Amino acid sequence: MKKYWKTTVIVAVCVFVVDWMVMGIKLLDYDYDILLEAYVAGACWLVVCGNAVYVATRRLLNRRTARA
């Protein structure tokens, strides 16, 4: 499962960067119709945040208790 999350996050970050480049080019060209790009960026952001939650809960649940 970790391998799939890592691959998904890498793809999501790459798509996010390309999407923001396209959005920036459209804004520089005075084209303010960027709703689709905003939704794609939001979906990528959700994937990255979902990965952060997954990693945090996995680390918390796999923590071993200290032995005296």
Side-chain angles (χ1 to χ4, degrees), residues 18-62:
V18 170
D19 184 55
W20 271 62
M21 282 192 256
V22 169
M23 192 183 304
I25 290 170
K26 285 177 90 171
L27 288 174
L28 287 174
D29 199 29
Y30 299 107
D31 182 11
Y32 298 111
D33 186 23
I34 56 169
L35 191 61
L36 178 65
E37 287 84 4
Y39 280 126
V40 171
C44 292
W45 186 249
L46 284 176
V47 169
V48 172
C49 288
N51 178 54
V53 169
Y54 172 74
V55 169
T57 56
R58 186 171 171 94
R59 286 185 182 173
L60 284 174
L61 293 177
N62 287 340

Side-chain angles (χ1 to χ4, degrees), residues 1-8 51 54 58:
M1 185 72 173
K2 285 196 292 187
K3 185 177 180 181
Y4 297 120
W5 267 111
K6 185 182 269 188
T7 305
T8 305
N51 178 54
Y54 172 74
R58 186 171 171 94

